[in-house]
Short mmCIF file of all heavy atoms in Angstrom, two decimals:
data_model
loop_
_atom_site.label_atom_id
_atom_site.label_comp_id
_atom_site.label_asym_id
_atom_site.label_seq_id
_atom_site.Cartn_x
_atom_site.Cartn_y
_atom_site.Cartn_z
N MET A 21 0.37 3.32 12.89
CA MET A 21 0.03 2.12 12.14
C MET A 21 1.03 1.92 11.01
O MET A 21 1.71 2.84 10.59
CB MET A 21 -1.41 2.25 11.65
CG MET A 21 -1.65 2.42 10.18
SD MET A 21 -3.39 2.77 9.75
CE MET A 21 -3.19 2.74 7.98
N LYS A 22 1.09 0.66 10.55
CA LYS A 22 1.98 0.32 9.43
C LYS A 22 1.14 -0.32 8.32
O LYS A 22 0.13 -0.98 8.61
CB LYS A 22 2.98 -0.76 9.85
CG LYS A 22 4.11 -0.29 10.69
CD LYS A 22 5.00 -1.50 10.96
CE LYS A 22 5.93 -1.22 12.12
NZ LYS A 22 6.56 -2.46 12.59
N VAL A 23 1.56 -0.15 7.08
CA VAL A 23 0.97 -0.94 6.01
C VAL A 23 2.04 -1.92 5.52
O VAL A 23 3.20 -1.57 5.38
CB VAL A 23 0.47 -0.08 4.83
CG1 VAL A 23 -0.83 0.62 5.21
CG2 VAL A 23 1.49 0.93 4.35
N LYS A 24 1.58 -3.15 5.33
CA LYS A 24 2.49 -4.19 4.86
C LYS A 24 2.02 -4.68 3.49
O LYS A 24 0.84 -4.92 3.29
CB LYS A 24 2.51 -5.35 5.84
CG LYS A 24 3.14 -4.96 7.17
CD LYS A 24 3.45 -6.19 7.98
CE LYS A 24 4.47 -5.83 9.05
NZ LYS A 24 4.98 -7.01 9.75
N VAL A 25 2.96 -4.80 2.59
CA VAL A 25 2.63 -5.25 1.23
C VAL A 25 3.28 -6.61 0.99
O VAL A 25 4.48 -6.78 1.20
CB VAL A 25 3.15 -4.23 0.19
CG1 VAL A 25 2.92 -4.75 -1.23
CG2 VAL A 25 2.47 -2.88 0.37
N ASP A 26 2.44 -7.56 0.60
CA ASP A 26 2.98 -8.85 0.15
C ASP A 26 3.40 -8.65 -1.30
O ASP A 26 2.57 -8.71 -2.21
CB ASP A 26 1.90 -9.93 0.28
CG ASP A 26 2.44 -11.31 -0.10
OD1 ASP A 26 3.49 -11.38 -0.80
OD2 ASP A 26 1.82 -12.30 0.29
N VAL A 27 4.66 -8.37 -1.49
CA VAL A 27 5.13 -7.97 -2.83
C VAL A 27 4.97 -9.09 -3.85
O VAL A 27 4.92 -8.84 -5.06
CB VAL A 27 6.59 -7.45 -2.79
CG1 VAL A 27 6.68 -6.18 -1.96
CG2 VAL A 27 7.54 -8.51 -2.26
N ARG A 28 4.83 -10.33 -3.38
CA ARG A 28 4.62 -11.45 -4.32
C ARG A 28 3.21 -11.43 -4.90
O ARG A 28 2.96 -11.96 -5.96
CB ARG A 28 4.87 -12.79 -3.62
CG ARG A 28 6.30 -12.98 -3.17
CD ARG A 28 6.39 -14.09 -2.15
NE ARG A 28 5.47 -13.82 -1.04
CZ ARG A 28 5.25 -14.63 -0.03
NH1 ARG A 28 5.84 -15.80 0.01
NH2 ARG A 28 4.41 -14.29 0.92
N LYS A 29 2.28 -10.81 -4.15
CA LYS A 29 0.89 -10.74 -4.64
C LYS A 29 0.65 -9.54 -5.53
O LYS A 29 -0.32 -9.49 -6.28
CB LYS A 29 -0.07 -10.64 -3.45
CG LYS A 29 -0.31 -11.92 -2.71
CD LYS A 29 -1.44 -11.70 -1.71
CE LYS A 29 -1.70 -12.91 -0.86
NZ LYS A 29 -2.66 -12.60 0.21
N CYS A 30 1.49 -8.52 -5.43
CA CYS A 30 1.27 -7.28 -6.18
C CYS A 30 1.29 -7.56 -7.68
O CYS A 30 2.22 -8.18 -8.19
CB CYS A 30 2.34 -6.26 -5.81
SG CYS A 30 2.21 -4.74 -6.79
N GLN A 31 0.25 -7.09 -8.36
CA GLN A 31 0.16 -7.29 -9.81
C GLN A 31 0.30 -5.97 -10.57
O GLN A 31 -0.02 -5.90 -11.77
CB GLN A 31 -1.17 -7.96 -10.16
CG GLN A 31 -1.30 -9.37 -9.62
CD GLN A 31 -0.25 -10.32 -10.20
OE1 GLN A 31 -0.01 -10.33 -11.40
NE2 GLN A 31 0.41 -11.08 -9.34
N GLY A 32 0.69 -4.95 -9.88
CA GLY A 32 0.99 -3.68 -10.56
C GLY A 32 -0.22 -2.90 -11.03
O GLY A 32 -0.15 -2.18 -12.01
N HIS A 33 -1.33 -3.01 -10.32
CA HIS A 33 -2.53 -2.26 -10.71
C HIS A 33 -2.41 -0.77 -10.41
O HIS A 33 -3.16 0.04 -10.94
CB HIS A 33 -3.77 -2.80 -9.99
CG HIS A 33 -4.05 -4.24 -10.28
ND1 HIS A 33 -4.50 -4.67 -11.50
CD2 HIS A 33 -3.94 -5.34 -9.51
CE1 HIS A 33 -4.66 -5.98 -11.45
NE2 HIS A 33 -4.32 -6.41 -10.26
N ALA A 34 -1.53 -0.43 -9.48
CA ALA A 34 -1.23 0.98 -9.13
C ALA A 34 -2.38 1.72 -8.45
O ALA A 34 -2.35 2.93 -8.32
CB ALA A 34 -0.76 1.76 -10.36
N LEU A 35 -3.41 0.99 -8.03
CA LEU A 35 -4.55 1.66 -7.40
C LEU A 35 -4.20 2.19 -6.02
O LEU A 35 -4.72 3.23 -5.59
CB LEU A 35 -5.74 0.69 -7.32
CG LEU A 35 -6.25 0.23 -8.68
CD1 LEU A 35 -7.31 -0.85 -8.52
CD2 LEU A 35 -6.80 1.40 -9.46
N CYS A 36 -3.34 1.49 -5.31
CA CYS A 36 -2.94 1.96 -3.98
C CYS A 36 -2.29 3.34 -4.08
O CYS A 36 -2.62 4.25 -3.32
CB CYS A 36 -1.99 0.96 -3.32
SG CYS A 36 -0.53 0.54 -4.30
N ALA A 37 -1.39 3.48 -5.04
CA ALA A 37 -0.69 4.76 -5.20
C ALA A 37 -1.63 5.85 -5.72
O ALA A 37 -1.43 7.03 -5.43
CB ALA A 37 0.49 4.59 -6.14
N ALA A 38 -2.66 5.46 -6.45
CA ALA A 38 -3.62 6.45 -6.93
C ALA A 38 -4.38 7.06 -5.74
O ALA A 38 -4.71 8.24 -5.74
CB ALA A 38 -4.59 5.82 -7.92
N LYS A 39 -4.64 6.25 -4.72
CA LYS A 39 -5.37 6.72 -3.54
C LYS A 39 -4.46 7.46 -2.56
O LYS A 39 -4.88 8.42 -1.94
CB LYS A 39 -6.04 5.54 -2.81
CG LYS A 39 -7.09 4.83 -3.61
CD LYS A 39 -8.38 5.62 -3.65
CE LYS A 39 -9.47 4.82 -4.34
NZ LYS A 39 -10.66 5.60 -4.59
N ALA A 40 -3.26 6.96 -2.38
CA ALA A 40 -2.36 7.54 -1.37
C ALA A 40 -0.91 7.49 -1.87
O ALA A 40 -0.12 6.66 -1.41
CB ALA A 40 -2.51 6.80 -0.05
N PRO A 41 -0.56 8.38 -2.78
CA PRO A 41 0.78 8.34 -3.36
C PRO A 41 1.89 8.63 -2.34
O PRO A 41 3.03 8.23 -2.55
CB PRO A 41 0.74 9.44 -4.44
CG PRO A 41 -0.43 10.29 -4.10
CD PRO A 41 -1.40 9.43 -3.36
N GLU A 42 1.53 9.29 -1.24
CA GLU A 42 2.55 9.59 -0.21
C GLU A 42 2.97 8.32 0.52
O GLU A 42 4.05 8.26 1.10
CB GLU A 42 2.00 10.59 0.81
CG GLU A 42 1.51 11.91 0.22
CD GLU A 42 0.04 11.87 -0.22
OE1 GLU A 42 -0.52 10.77 -0.40
OE2 GLU A 42 -0.54 12.95 -0.39
N ILE A 43 2.08 7.34 0.54
CA ILE A 43 2.33 6.12 1.31
C ILE A 43 2.79 4.98 0.41
O ILE A 43 3.68 4.21 0.76
CB ILE A 43 1.04 5.68 2.05
CG1 ILE A 43 0.54 6.80 2.96
CG2 ILE A 43 1.26 4.39 2.83
CD1 ILE A 43 1.49 7.19 4.06
N PHE A 44 2.15 4.84 -0.74
CA PHE A 44 2.43 3.71 -1.61
C PHE A 44 3.26 4.19 -2.81
O PHE A 44 2.75 4.85 -3.71
CB PHE A 44 1.13 3.06 -2.08
CG PHE A 44 0.28 2.58 -0.94
CD1 PHE A 44 -0.85 3.28 -0.57
CD2 PHE A 44 0.62 1.45 -0.22
CE1 PHE A 44 -1.64 2.86 0.49
CE2 PHE A 44 -0.15 1.01 0.85
CZ PHE A 44 -1.29 1.72 1.20
N VAL A 45 4.53 3.85 -2.78
CA VAL A 45 5.46 4.27 -3.83
C VAL A 45 5.73 3.07 -4.73
O VAL A 45 6.05 1.99 -4.24
CB VAL A 45 6.76 4.80 -3.21
CG1 VAL A 45 7.75 5.19 -4.29
CG2 VAL A 45 6.45 5.99 -2.30
N LEU A 46 5.57 3.27 -6.02
CA LEU A 46 5.70 2.15 -6.96
C LEU A 46 6.99 2.27 -7.75
O LEU A 46 7.56 3.35 -7.90
CB LEU A 46 4.51 2.15 -7.92
CG LEU A 46 3.13 2.19 -7.27
CD1 LEU A 46 2.05 2.14 -8.34
CD2 LEU A 46 2.95 1.07 -6.25
N ASN A 47 7.43 1.13 -8.28
CA ASN A 47 8.62 1.18 -9.14
C ASN A 47 8.20 1.63 -10.55
O ASN A 47 7.02 1.92 -10.81
CB ASN A 47 9.36 -0.16 -9.14
CG ASN A 47 8.59 -1.27 -9.84
OD1 ASN A 47 7.60 -1.03 -10.53
ND2 ASN A 47 9.04 -2.50 -9.65
N ASP A 48 9.16 1.70 -11.45
CA ASP A 48 8.89 2.23 -12.79
C ASP A 48 7.86 1.40 -13.55
O ASP A 48 7.24 1.88 -14.49
CB ASP A 48 10.18 2.31 -13.61
CG ASP A 48 11.11 3.40 -13.07
OD1 ASP A 48 10.64 4.26 -12.31
OD2 ASP A 48 12.31 3.38 -13.43
N ASP A 49 7.69 0.15 -13.16
CA ASP A 49 6.72 -0.72 -13.84
C ASP A 49 5.36 -0.72 -13.13
O ASP A 49 4.47 -1.48 -13.50
CB ASP A 49 7.26 -2.15 -13.91
CG ASP A 49 8.51 -2.23 -14.76
OD1 ASP A 49 8.57 -1.55 -15.80
OD2 ASP A 49 9.45 -2.96 -14.36
N GLY A 50 5.21 0.09 -12.07
CA GLY A 50 3.93 0.19 -11.39
C GLY A 50 3.72 -0.83 -10.29
O GLY A 50 2.61 -1.01 -9.81
N TYR A 51 4.80 -1.51 -9.89
CA TYR A 51 4.69 -2.50 -8.82
C TYR A 51 5.14 -1.91 -7.49
O TYR A 51 6.06 -1.09 -7.44
CB TYR A 51 5.56 -3.73 -9.13
CG TYR A 51 4.97 -4.63 -10.17
CD1 TYR A 51 5.06 -4.32 -11.52
CD2 TYR A 51 4.31 -5.81 -9.80
CE1 TYR A 51 4.51 -5.13 -12.49
CE2 TYR A 51 3.76 -6.64 -10.77
CZ TYR A 51 3.86 -6.31 -12.11
OH TYR A 51 3.32 -7.12 -13.07
N ASN A 52 4.49 -2.34 -6.45
CA ASN A 52 4.84 -1.92 -5.09
C ASN A 52 5.87 -2.90 -4.54
O ASN A 52 5.58 -4.08 -4.34
CB ASN A 52 3.57 -1.93 -4.23
CG ASN A 52 3.78 -1.22 -2.92
OD1 ASN A 52 4.86 -1.22 -2.37
ND2 ASN A 52 2.71 -0.63 -2.41
N GLU A 53 7.07 -2.41 -4.29
CA GLU A 53 8.15 -3.28 -3.82
C GLU A 53 8.54 -2.97 -2.38
O GLU A 53 9.58 -3.43 -1.91
CB GLU A 53 9.39 -3.08 -4.69
CG GLU A 53 9.22 -3.54 -6.11
CD GLU A 53 10.49 -3.36 -6.93
OE1 GLU A 53 11.17 -2.31 -6.76
OE2 GLU A 53 10.80 -4.24 -7.73
N THR A 54 7.72 -2.14 -1.71
CA THR A 54 8.06 -1.74 -0.34
C THR A 54 7.28 -2.60 0.64
O THR A 54 6.06 -2.45 0.77
CB THR A 54 7.72 -0.25 -0.12
OG1 THR A 54 8.29 0.50 -1.18
CG2 THR A 54 8.25 0.24 1.21
N PRO A 55 7.92 -3.54 1.33
CA PRO A 55 7.19 -4.49 2.18
C PRO A 55 6.53 -3.85 3.39
O PRO A 55 5.53 -4.38 3.89
CB PRO A 55 8.25 -5.50 2.62
CG PRO A 55 9.54 -5.06 2.07
CD PRO A 55 9.35 -3.83 1.24
N GLU A 56 7.07 -2.73 3.87
CA GLU A 56 6.52 -2.16 5.10
C GLU A 56 6.72 -0.65 5.11
O GLU A 56 7.80 -0.17 4.80
CB GLU A 56 7.25 -2.80 6.29
CG GLU A 56 6.63 -2.48 7.61
CD GLU A 56 7.31 -3.28 8.72
OE1 GLU A 56 7.23 -4.52 8.69
OE2 GLU A 56 7.92 -2.65 9.61
N THR A 57 5.67 0.07 5.46
CA THR A 57 5.75 1.54 5.54
C THR A 57 5.04 2.01 6.80
O THR A 57 3.91 1.59 7.08
CB THR A 57 5.07 2.20 4.31
OG1 THR A 57 5.68 1.69 3.12
CG2 THR A 57 5.21 3.72 4.35
N ILE A 58 5.69 2.86 7.55
CA ILE A 58 5.05 3.46 8.72
C ILE A 58 4.20 4.64 8.25
O ILE A 58 4.65 5.48 7.48
CB ILE A 58 6.11 3.92 9.74
CG1 ILE A 58 6.84 2.69 10.29
CG2 ILE A 58 5.46 4.72 10.87
CD1 ILE A 58 8.02 3.01 11.17
N VAL A 59 2.93 4.63 8.69
CA VAL A 59 1.98 5.66 8.25
C VAL A 59 1.81 6.70 9.36
O VAL A 59 1.39 6.36 10.47
CB VAL A 59 0.61 5.02 7.94
CG1 VAL A 59 -0.39 6.07 7.49
CG2 VAL A 59 0.77 3.93 6.88
N PRO A 60 2.09 7.97 9.08
CA PRO A 60 1.82 9.00 10.07
C PRO A 60 0.33 9.08 10.36
O PRO A 60 -0.49 8.80 9.48
CB PRO A 60 2.31 10.29 9.40
CG PRO A 60 2.96 9.92 8.14
CD PRO A 60 2.62 8.49 7.82
N GLU A 61 -0.01 9.46 11.59
CA GLU A 61 -1.41 9.47 11.99
C GLU A 61 -2.27 10.30 11.04
O GLU A 61 -3.40 9.92 10.71
CB GLU A 61 -1.51 10.02 13.42
CG GLU A 61 -2.68 9.45 14.17
CD GLU A 61 -2.66 9.86 15.63
OE1 GLU A 61 -1.56 9.90 16.22
OE2 GLU A 61 -3.75 10.14 16.16
N SER A 62 -1.72 11.39 10.57
CA SER A 62 -2.49 12.29 9.69
C SER A 62 -2.81 11.65 8.34
O SER A 62 -3.68 12.13 7.62
CB SER A 62 -1.71 13.58 9.47
OG SER A 62 -0.48 13.29 8.84
N MET A 63 -2.11 10.56 8.00
CA MET A 63 -2.31 9.91 6.70
C MET A 63 -3.10 8.61 6.80
O MET A 63 -3.29 7.92 5.80
CB MET A 63 -0.95 9.60 6.07
CG MET A 63 -0.11 10.80 5.71
SD MET A 63 -0.82 11.75 4.37
CE MET A 63 -0.89 10.52 3.10
N GLU A 64 -3.53 8.24 7.99
CA GLU A 64 -4.12 6.91 8.18
C GLU A 64 -5.37 6.68 7.33
O GLU A 64 -5.52 5.62 6.73
CB GLU A 64 -4.41 6.66 9.66
CG GLU A 64 -3.14 6.41 10.45
CD GLU A 64 -3.38 6.01 11.89
OE1 GLU A 64 -4.55 5.98 12.33
OE2 GLU A 64 -2.38 5.73 12.58
N GLU A 65 -6.26 7.66 7.30
CA GLU A 65 -7.51 7.47 6.54
C GLU A 65 -7.21 7.28 5.06
O GLU A 65 -7.79 6.41 4.39
CB GLU A 65 -8.46 8.64 6.76
CG GLU A 65 -9.09 8.69 8.14
CD GLU A 65 -9.75 7.35 8.53
OE1 GLU A 65 -10.52 6.81 7.71
OE2 GLU A 65 -9.48 6.86 9.64
N LYS A 66 -6.29 8.08 4.56
CA LYS A 66 -5.91 7.98 3.14
C LYS A 66 -5.26 6.62 2.86
O LYS A 66 -5.54 5.97 1.84
CB LYS A 66 -4.94 9.12 2.83
CG LYS A 66 -5.02 9.61 1.42
CD LYS A 66 -4.19 10.88 1.27
CE LYS A 66 -4.10 11.23 -0.19
NZ LYS A 66 -3.20 12.37 -0.43
N ALA A 67 -4.41 6.20 3.76
CA ALA A 67 -3.73 4.92 3.58
C ALA A 67 -4.74 3.77 3.55
O ALA A 67 -4.61 2.83 2.76
CB ALA A 67 -2.71 4.70 4.69
N LYS A 68 -5.77 3.87 4.40
CA LYS A 68 -6.79 2.82 4.43
C LYS A 68 -7.53 2.72 3.10
O LYS A 68 -7.88 1.64 2.64
CB LYS A 68 -7.78 3.06 5.57
CG LYS A 68 -7.19 2.70 6.92
CD LYS A 68 -8.14 3.05 8.05
CE LYS A 68 -7.46 2.80 9.40
NZ LYS A 68 -8.24 3.32 10.53
N LEU A 69 -7.76 3.85 2.46
CA LEU A 69 -8.40 3.83 1.13
C LEU A 69 -7.52 3.08 0.14
O LEU A 69 -8.01 2.32 -0.71
CB LEU A 69 -8.64 5.26 0.63
CG LEU A 69 -9.66 6.10 1.40
CD1 LEU A 69 -9.72 7.50 0.81
CD2 LEU A 69 -11.04 5.45 1.34
N GLY A 70 -6.22 3.28 0.25
CA GLY A 70 -5.28 2.57 -0.63
C GLY A 70 -5.30 1.07 -0.38
O GLY A 70 -5.30 0.27 -1.31
N VAL A 71 -5.36 0.70 0.90
CA VAL A 71 -5.42 -0.73 1.25
C VAL A 71 -6.67 -1.36 0.66
O VAL A 71 -6.62 -2.43 0.03
CB VAL A 71 -5.42 -0.89 2.79
CG1 VAL A 71 -5.65 -2.34 3.18
CG2 VAL A 71 -4.12 -0.36 3.39
N GLU A 72 -7.81 -0.69 0.82
CA GLU A 72 -9.08 -1.23 0.32
C GLU A 72 -9.12 -1.30 -1.20
O GLU A 72 -9.83 -2.11 -1.78
CB GLU A 72 -10.24 -0.34 0.81
CG GLU A 72 -10.51 -0.50 2.29
CD GLU A 72 -11.34 0.65 2.86
OE1 GLU A 72 -11.86 1.46 2.06
OE2 GLU A 72 -11.44 0.73 4.09
N SER A 73 -8.33 -0.47 -1.85
CA SER A 73 -8.38 -0.41 -3.32
C SER A 73 -7.62 -1.55 -3.99
O SER A 73 -7.80 -1.79 -5.18
CB SER A 73 -7.83 0.93 -3.81
OG SER A 73 -6.42 0.93 -3.71
N CYS A 74 -6.78 -2.23 -3.24
CA CYS A 74 -5.92 -3.25 -3.89
C CYS A 74 -6.73 -4.47 -4.28
O CYS A 74 -7.22 -5.19 -3.40
CB CYS A 74 -4.77 -3.65 -2.96
SG CYS A 74 -3.72 -4.92 -3.73
N PRO A 75 -6.89 -4.75 -5.57
CA PRO A 75 -7.72 -5.89 -5.99
C PRO A 75 -7.08 -7.24 -5.68
O PRO A 75 -7.75 -8.27 -5.73
CB PRO A 75 -7.87 -5.69 -7.50
CG PRO A 75 -6.79 -4.76 -7.90
CD PRO A 75 -6.35 -3.99 -6.70
N GLU A 76 -5.81 -7.25 -5.36
CA GLU A 76 -5.12 -8.51 -5.06
C GLU A 76 -5.11 -8.82 -3.56
O GLU A 76 -4.62 -9.87 -3.16
CB GLU A 76 -3.66 -8.45 -5.57
CG GLU A 76 -3.52 -8.09 -7.04
CD GLU A 76 -4.18 -9.11 -7.95
OE1 GLU A 76 -4.24 -10.29 -7.59
OE2 GLU A 76 -4.64 -8.71 -9.04
N GLY A 77 -5.61 -7.91 -2.77
CA GLY A 77 -5.55 -8.12 -1.32
C GLY A 77 -4.12 -8.21 -0.82
O GLY A 77 -3.82 -8.93 0.13
N ALA A 78 -3.24 -7.46 -1.46
CA ALA A 78 -1.81 -7.57 -1.16
C ALA A 78 -1.37 -6.73 0.03
O ALA A 78 -0.27 -6.89 0.52
CB ALA A 78 -0.99 -7.18 -2.40
N ILE A 79 -2.26 -5.81 0.47
CA ILE A 79 -1.83 -4.88 1.51
C ILE A 79 -2.62 -5.14 2.79
O ILE A 79 -3.84 -5.30 2.76
CB ILE A 79 -2.08 -3.41 1.08
CG1 ILE A 79 -1.63 -3.19 -0.36
CG2 ILE A 79 -1.35 -2.46 2.02
CD1 ILE A 79 -2.02 -1.83 -0.92
N THR A 80 -1.92 -5.19 3.89
CA THR A 80 -2.56 -5.35 5.19
C THR A 80 -2.11 -4.23 6.12
O THR A 80 -1.08 -3.61 5.91
CB THR A 80 -2.22 -6.72 5.83
OG1 THR A 80 -0.81 -6.88 5.83
CG2 THR A 80 -2.88 -7.85 5.07
N ILE A 81 -2.93 -4.03 7.15
CA ILE A 81 -2.65 -2.98 8.14
C ILE A 81 -2.20 -3.64 9.42
O ILE A 81 -2.76 -4.65 9.84
CB ILE A 81 -3.93 -2.15 8.39
CG1 ILE A 81 -4.26 -1.32 7.17
CG2 ILE A 81 -3.76 -1.25 9.62
CD1 ILE A 81 -5.59 -0.60 7.24
N GLU A 82 -1.17 -3.06 10.02
CA GLU A 82 -0.75 -3.50 11.35
C GLU A 82 -0.81 -2.29 12.28
O GLU A 82 -0.20 -1.27 11.99
CB GLU A 82 0.67 -4.04 11.27
CG GLU A 82 1.09 -4.80 12.50
CD GLU A 82 2.48 -5.39 12.33
OE1 GLU A 82 2.62 -6.37 11.56
OE2 GLU A 82 3.42 -4.85 12.92
N GLU A 83 -1.57 -2.41 13.35
CA GLU A 83 -1.72 -1.27 14.27
C GLU A 83 -0.53 -1.16 15.19
O GLU A 83 0.12 -2.12 15.50
CB GLU A 83 -3.00 -1.43 15.10
CG GLU A 83 -4.27 -1.43 14.27
CD GLU A 83 -4.58 -0.10 13.54
OE1 GLU A 83 -3.97 0.94 13.91
OE2 GLU A 83 -5.40 -0.12 12.62
S1 LIG B 313 -3.00 -1.86 -5.62
FE1 LIG B 313 -2.16 -3.81 -4.91
S2 LIG B 313 -1.61 -4.87 -6.76
FE2 LIG B 313 -1.83 -2.72 -7.28
S3 LIG B 313 0.21 -1.81 -7.09
FE3 LIG B 313 -0.83 -1.55 -5.15
S4 LIG B 313 -0.19 -3.36 -3.96
FE4 LIG B 313 0.21 -3.79 -6.07
#
């Protein structure tokens, strides 16, 4: 699976990285600038928690 971030929606809440820092890497200001990340199978559940945590709805999952 992949996680996709609409970087224009990201408001720098950093909640995604708090849930899954291995998947969601933020810049120095706390914004997610990575539009697409491939998630290893072993990290999928953790990544989903990060997706659900985003208050801006900026992250989507692609299977
Ligand atoms: S939780 Fe959402 S708004 Fe916050 S840094 Fe992550 S992608 Fe951006």
